[in-house]
Amino acid sequence: MIEVVTIDGPSGSGKSTASKLIAKKLGYNYLDTGAMYRAFALIVLEKGFEYNKSKYVKLLRNFEVEFKTRNNNQRVYCEERDITEAIRMPDVSMWASTLSKEKEVRDRMFVLQRKIGENGKIVAEGRDMGTVVFKDAFAKFFLNASLEVRAERRWKELKEKGINQSLQDVINDIQKRDEQDTHRDIAPLKPAEDALIIDTSELTLDEVVSKIYENVIQKLKVWKS
Ligand code: DC
């Protein structure tokens, strides 16, 4: 077993905010694996590769992402460039989802993610953390919420970042990404058998965090005793 907490779920399920807070409470590092897929998608988009697999597979070999903390916020770097804001754009979200279907892409991310997690004490957030990358994690969670609630959360988040998309466009994007992420052949989005599933539609952030935190503490006690 490895000292990793996994939090998986679809877009807008509240996993990012909850994961950051849980990491802070536990004194663990926070690993945003969606940001890694987004970083790769941004690089591919900027190179204008569209869906040319042979070209982007070459890029993967040297692909690295770095997370750095600045003023208590985690920033994402790729090739020495701060891409924290750039990777949140809607077209990058869609490309990240499309590219994440490819085995070569997932294999590279697996290697990078295991390397970051090898010393434990991390909260890893994504789609396949509990099912594939950190199968050996001691505590696993799967967050979900209704499509309406998730779309509204995402719409607000984008608005705060100055990205103006209509609510209907956000609903359409989320539905398309859900469909791609859930139905891909490799590492589809689904709860691990041993994950605690939490529907966050009717819960406050505090309630979600408390539920996860209490469960983690319980599991730590059992594991370490
Ligand atoms: O969590 P996010 O919205 O930042 O993730 C962007 C895309 O990356 C998501 O639609 C699918 C992909 N992804 C993945 O396939 N596996 C992960 N562990 C994390 C993200």
Side-chain angles (χ1 to χ4, degrees):
M1 212 135 48
I2 183 168
E3 195 168 343
V4 170
V5 174
T6 64
I7 305 188
D8 290 305
S11 172
S13 58
K15 62 186 173 10
S16 299
T17 324
S19 300
K20 282 180 206 153
L21 290 170
I22 293 292
K24 209 169 172 186
K25 269 169 99 80
L26 292 168
Y28 286 12
N29 286 319
Y30 161 61
L31 173 61
D32 177 1
T33 61
M36 301 172 74
Y37 284 93
R38 286 168 179 274
F40 185 63
L42 177 72
I43 303 297
V44 171
L45 267 177
E46 285 179 347
K47 301 252 187 227
F49 283 171
E50 309 233 326
Y51 211 71
N52 190 330
K53 197 168 168 180
S54 61
K55 282 190 179 161
Y56 68 68
V57 162
K58 273 193 203 139
L59 272 185
L60 275 170
R61 248 173 267 152
N62 301 317
F63 175 75
E64 300 275 351
V65 189
E66 233 189 314
F67 294 101
K68 294 182 189 170
T69 306
R70 295 255 182 282
N71 303 325
N72 271 329
N73 283 314
Q74 195 173 74
R75 315 256 342 148
V76 189
Y77 286 76
C78 198
E79 296 166 359
E80 307 287 318
R81 182 160 61 108
D82 186 337
I83 54 167
T84 314
E85 276 81 32
I87 58 170
R88 299 294 152 192
M89 300 304 284
D91 54 343
V92 177
S93 307
M94 203 52 81
W95 264 97
S97 171
T98 303
L99 289 168
S100 71
K101 288 190 278 191
E102 303 296 339
K103 183 178 184 309
E104 293 83 352
V105 177
R106 300 211 74 82
D107 286 351
R108 178 73 188 145
M109 297 300 171
F110 180 92
V111 170
L112 296 176
Q113 290 158 7
R114 281 301 300 193
K115 204 162 116 193
I116 295 171
E118 69 190 356
N119 295 323
K121 293 201 182 290
I122 65 161
V123 174
E125 178 222 314
R127 302 288 190 290
D128 61 339
M129 295 297 100
T131 49
V132 177
V133 182
F134 297 110
K135 253 187 179 162
D136 47 353
F138 78 94
K140 300 182 184 179
F141 301 88
F142 189 90
L143 305 193
N144 212 342
S146 69
L147 175 65
E148 292 71 27
V149 169
R150 292 192 290 123
E152 191 144 344
R153 283 179 188 155
R154 175 63 58 168
W155 178 75
K156 279 191 190 143
E157 258 171 40
L158 289 170
K159 210 169 159 187
E160 277 162 21
K161 289 182 178 129
I163 303 166
N164 284 312
Q165 235 193 345
S166 73
L167 183 58
Q168 191 53 52
D169 281 350
V170 176
I171 293 176
N172 296 344
D173 277 7
I174 284 194
Q175 266 181 318
K176 188 166 172 215
R177 278 213 286 149
D178 279 0
E179 175 70 24
Q180 292 198 135
D181 296 347
T182 316
H183 293 105
R184 65 181 175 222
D185 294 336
I186 316 162
L189 169 68
K190 63 169 186 202
E193 273 170 24
D194 47 351
L196 177 69
I197 300 173
I198 304 175
D199 186 330
T200 67
S201 309
E202 308 280 329
L203 300 177
T204 64
L205 179 60
D206 276 356
E207 286 170 331
V208 175
V209 170
S210 301
K211 246 182 202 283
I212 296 177
Y213 185 71
E214 278 160 26
N215 192 278
V216 169
I217 297 300
Q218 188 89 22
K219 291 217 163 98
L220 260 182
K221 262 191 211 151
V222 174
W223 181 30
K224 301 278 174 175
S225 66

